[in-house]
Amino acid sequence: MYYFFRLLLFLTIFFNLSYANNNTTNELYKIKLELQSIKLNNQNTNNNQEKQIINIQNSIKKLENKINNQDINQIKISKDLEILNNEIISQNTRKNDISMYLTIFGSLITIIVIFFSFKNEGVARSVASEEIKDWLSTKANEELQPQIDEYLNKLIDEKNDILKKIKEEAKKLQV
């Protein structure tokens, strides 16, 4: 973001200098035309004309120096602009490289995780089946026996109730 603002600043200065250079060039042409008109106009005295000519020539020299300075400034700004563009391009390249490295790293991690999950699936199944067998052989009877006994007692009670009802029905039928 910082480079964007620097680039924007340099572009603004560059266009302002270019506009100023055009204005200065226009002023120079006006002064040169004025000088030519003075040379053609011989209405004034030689002394007065020479002073005007010297003043105009001095103005022309100042404006030419100003144009040269602006040209030098434009060259400096162009170089700075080119340097900024190169920095932006190199940072963009670095950003793209980092993005690519992170994508490759993430893909490798994903592939490794998937590989080990398939590899360890068989091991996990065999360990789980062994643990279930051990639990069934040792602790299943201890933990499930009270529930089995309770269920058996209920079945026996129900069987006795059904037998009593059948015997009562049989006695009623015999009478």
Side-chain angles (χ1 to χ4, degrees):
M1 193 64 147
Y2 170 74
Y3 291 104
F4 174 73
F5 288 117
R6 280 184 61 189
L7 178 65
L8 187 62
L9 175 69
F10 277 113
L11 286 175
T12 306
I13 292 171
F14 179 74
F15 288 122
N16 284 337
L17 284 177
S18 149
Y19 178 73
N21 190 14
N22 287 338
N23 286 340
T24 308
T25 306
N26 288 340
E27 287 179 35
L28 179 64
Y29 288 136
K30 285 180 185 177
I31 291 173
K32 283 184 179 180
L33 282 174
E34 193 177 322
L35 179 62
Q36 287 176 356
S37 69
I38 289 174
K39 284 182 181 177
L40 293 176
N41 246 343
N42 285 329
Q43 295 173 358
N44 293 336
T45 63
N46 283 339
N47 242 356
N48 199 12
Q49 283 181 345
E50 285 182 24
K51 286 180 184 178
Q52 285 181 343
I53 290 173
I54 290 172
N55 285 338
I56 291 174
Q57 285 176 342
N58 287 338
S59 297
I60 288 173
K61 286 180 184 177
K62 286 179 184 177
L63 288 174
E64 285 176 345
N65 286 337
K66 190 174 179 182
I67 289 173
N68 288 337
N69 287 338
Q70 286 177 349
D71 287 342
I72 290 171
N73 287 339
Q74 282 182 343
I75 291 170
K76 287 179 183 177
I77 289 174
S78 296
K79 286 179 183 177
D80 289 343
L81 184 62
E82 187 175 324
I83 289 170
L84 281 175
N85 283 336
N86 290 337
E87 286 179 8
I88 290 171
I89 289 170
S90 68
Q91 285 185 354
N92 193 22
T93 304
R94 280 186 233 130
K95 185 187 90 176
N96 289 339
D97 289 345
I98 290 171
S99 174
M100 182 184 63
Y101 295 145
L102 288 175
T103 301
I104 290 172
F105 179 73
S107 299
L108 286 175
I109 293 296
T110 303
I111 290 170
I112 289 170
V113 166
I114 290 171
F115 171 75
F116 281 112
S117 67
F118 282 125
K119 182 181 177 188
N120 292 329
E121 179 185 9
V123 174
R125 285 180 190 255
S126 65
V127 168
S129 66
E130 287 178 21
E131 287 295 321
I132 288 174
K133 287 178 185 176
D134 288 344
W135 183 79
L136 286 175
S137 65
T138 58
K139 295 183 181 179
N141 287 337
E142 294 173 7
E143 292 180 16
L144 296 177
Q145 193 61 42
Q147 292 175 356
I148 293 172
D149 289 342
E150 182 181 329
Y151 186 68
L152 278 174
N153 289 336
K154 284 182 184 178
L155 285 176
I156 291 171
D157 289 342
E158 284 181 26
K159 177 192 82 154
N160 289 338
D161 287 341
I162 292 173
L163 277 176
K164 280 183 188 178
K165 287 180 183 177
I166 291 174
K167 285 181 183 177
E168 288 175 6
E169 289 288 323
K171 280 184 185 179
K172 285 183 186 178
L173 287 176
Q174 284 180 354
V175 176

